[in-house]
């Protein structure tokens, strides 16, 4: 987690994500890149110069984009000044991409190869879900690096309780490498191994869960099973119940694997659960 990319839209949630990223970088002696994606003005023709200014566009569109870029850079510099006060030992740089939001973020990830992406997510209703959470879910689904989704303020981001949902089947062991990296960064945290019996079916014996933890040498952990209508809802409710500081969810696009590795569950929990949610992809 030394090279951290923070995506911002200057919303309160994005600011919360920025503060968490600074605290993580401070812990790992890392650095932060602050990214803002400026969407192309509708109807602008032509391409963009190396300075990010439309070429071949109407003069009104060109002036509007220049003014928007100037405003954006001022706001980014303000955040850098704030970072210098909150975490003076953390190097922070800012970048602006001109593209559609999701495309611009993915382009920056592929170009800069961050170790971690941190972004804010809003709680949403049906309308907000389409316009706001769809971008968050896309960023969770596509990048090769882990993504940490933050919704609320965490002025002292000290992780003491980690929730790791699983079905404790054979393929679940392949997800532990990423979990161990999180434990290495937060060695004093209690690990809550969670199984959710969705719809009251598919129960797992406590002995099986404990044997899984013992065989994989997972330390300082507790095992719990809960019943819930949906897997994602069970994860969210349990995380709230134990005061989790982070939920860790590995994902895999392949069919036939554990439902706990489904990207849809990770996306739902990341955009609904109260604590920050870390998602990462398993190797194909």
């Amino acid at each position: 987690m030394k090279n951290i990319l923070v995506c911002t839209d200057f919303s309160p949630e994005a600011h919360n994500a920025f503060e968490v990223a600074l605290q993580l970088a401070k812990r790992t002696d890392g650095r932060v890149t602050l990214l803002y994606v400026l969407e192309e003005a509708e109807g602008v023709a032509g391409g963009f110069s190396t300075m990010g200014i439309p070429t071949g566009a109407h003069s009104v569109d060109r002036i509007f984009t220049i003014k928007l870029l100037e405003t954006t850079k001022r706001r980014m510099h303000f955040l850098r000044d704030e970072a210098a006060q909150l975490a003076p030992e953390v190097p922070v740089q800012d970048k602006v991409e001109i593209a559609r939001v999701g495309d611009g973020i993915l382009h920056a990830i592929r170009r800069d190869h961050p170790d971690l992406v941190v972004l804010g997510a809003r709680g949403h209703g049906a309308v907000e879900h389409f316009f706001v959470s769809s971008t968050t879910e896309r960023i969770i689904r596509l990048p090769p690096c882990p993504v940490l989704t933050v919704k609320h303020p965490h002025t002292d981001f000290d992780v003491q309780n980690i929730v790791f949902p699983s079905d404790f089947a054979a393929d679940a062991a392949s997800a532990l490498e990423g979990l161990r990296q999180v434990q290495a960064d937060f060695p004093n945290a209690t690990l809550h191994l969670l199984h959710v019996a969705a719809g009251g079916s598919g129960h797992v014996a406590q002995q099986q869960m404990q044997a899984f933890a013992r065989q994989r040498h997972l330390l300082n952990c507790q095992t719990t099973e809960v019943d819930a209508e949906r897997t994602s809802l069970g994860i969210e409710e349990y995380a709230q119940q134990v005061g989790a500081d982070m939920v860790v969810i590995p994902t895999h696009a392949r069919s036939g694997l554990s439902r706990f590795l489904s990207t849809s569950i990770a996306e739902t929990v990341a955009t609904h659960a109260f604590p920050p949610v870390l998602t990462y992809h398993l190797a194909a």
Side-chain angles (χ1 to χ4, degrees):
M1 296 187 186
K2 288 185 175 294
N3 180 13
I4 301 175
L5 177 68
V6 183
C7 309
T8 186
D9 59 0
F10 304 115
S11 66
E13 293 81 6
H15 191 270
N16 297 337
F18 182 50
E19 288 190 338
V20 167
L22 290 174
Q23 294 178 67
L24 284 172
K26 185 176 180 180
R27 172 182 288 269
T28 63
D29 294 323
R31 64 186 187 275
V32 169
T33 299
L34 188 62
L35 173 71
Y36 180 81
V37 180
L38 179 63
E39 289 211 273
E40 301 175 24
E42 186 175 351
V44 172
F48 293 90
S49 72
T50 56
M51 298 298 294
I53 304 211
T55 58
H58 297 299
S59 58
V60 173
D61 293 326
R62 187 160 52 248
I63 293 170
F64 174 79
T65 301
I66 292 171
K67 294 294 185 184
L68 199 53
L69 277 169
E70 291 173 349
T71 301
T72 298
K73 288 187 176 294
R74 282 197 298 271
R75 298 179 79 175
M76 297 285 265
H77 291 162
F78 178 82
L79 288 174
R80 287 180 59 184
D81 291 343
E82 183 180 0
Q85 296 294 322
L86 295 174
E89 65 273 52
V90 176
V92 177
Q93 63 176 325
D94 60 85
K95 294 184 178 180
V96 178
E97 293 275 347
I98 298 184
R100 295 187 182 277
V101 173
D103 294 338
I105 294 172
L106 290 173
H107 177 262
I109 292 170
R110 291 166 183 147
R111 180 192 62 212
D112 298 335
H113 307 288
D115 302 317
L116 177 71
V117 174
V118 184
L119 68 160
R122 298 181 182 91
H124 51 67
V127 174
E128 290 175 331
H129 177 81
F130 179 80
F131 292 104
V132 177
S133 283
S134 58
T135 297
T136 303
E137 290 164 357
R138 186 182 178 202
I139 301 308
I140 290 170
R141 190 182 316 122
L142 296 179
C145 59
V147 176
L148 183 67
T149 307
V150 179
K151 290 169 284 300
H152 304 285
H154 299 274
T155 53
D156 184 14
F157 189 60
D158 184 20
V159 176
Q160 296 294 323
N161 288 284
I162 300 169
V163 172
F164 183 78
S166 176
D167 63 356
F168 306 98
D171 57 26
S174 63
L176 294 183
E177 182 178 353
L179 175 62
R180 288 195 175 97
Q181 292 176 8
V182 175
Q183 284 191 297
D185 286 326
F186 303 100
N188 297 321
T190 298
L191 174 62
H192 298 262
L193 299 178
L194 174 67
H195 180 261
V196 179
S201 61
H203 288 274
V204 173
Q206 278 288 330
Q207 293 89 337
Q208 179 181 342
M209 299 165 69
Q210 292 164 1
F212 180 92
R214 187 170 55 253
Q215 292 164 6
R216 275 76 185 184
H217 308 290
L218 297 176
L219 303 177
N220 195 24
C221 66
Q222 301 177 6
T223 58
T224 305
E225 182 176 64
V226 299
D227 289 299
E229 182 181 348
R230 301 186 311 278
T231 300
S232 58
L233 183 60
I235 296 170
E236 296 161 27
E237 291 178 342
Y238 181 77
Q240 186 80 4
Q241 176 186 329
V242 300
D245 303 296
M246 182 184 292
V247 179
V248 178
I249 306 182
T251 67
H252 206 306
R254 282 169 49 196
S255 60
L257 290 181
S258 164
R259 61 189 170 86
F260 283 84
L261 303 181
S262 165
T263 54
S264 62
I265 288 178
E267 292 161 7
T268 301
V269 175
T271 54
H272 286 75
F274 185 90
V277 177
L278 180 71
T279 59
Y280 60 93
H281 299 300
L282 303 185

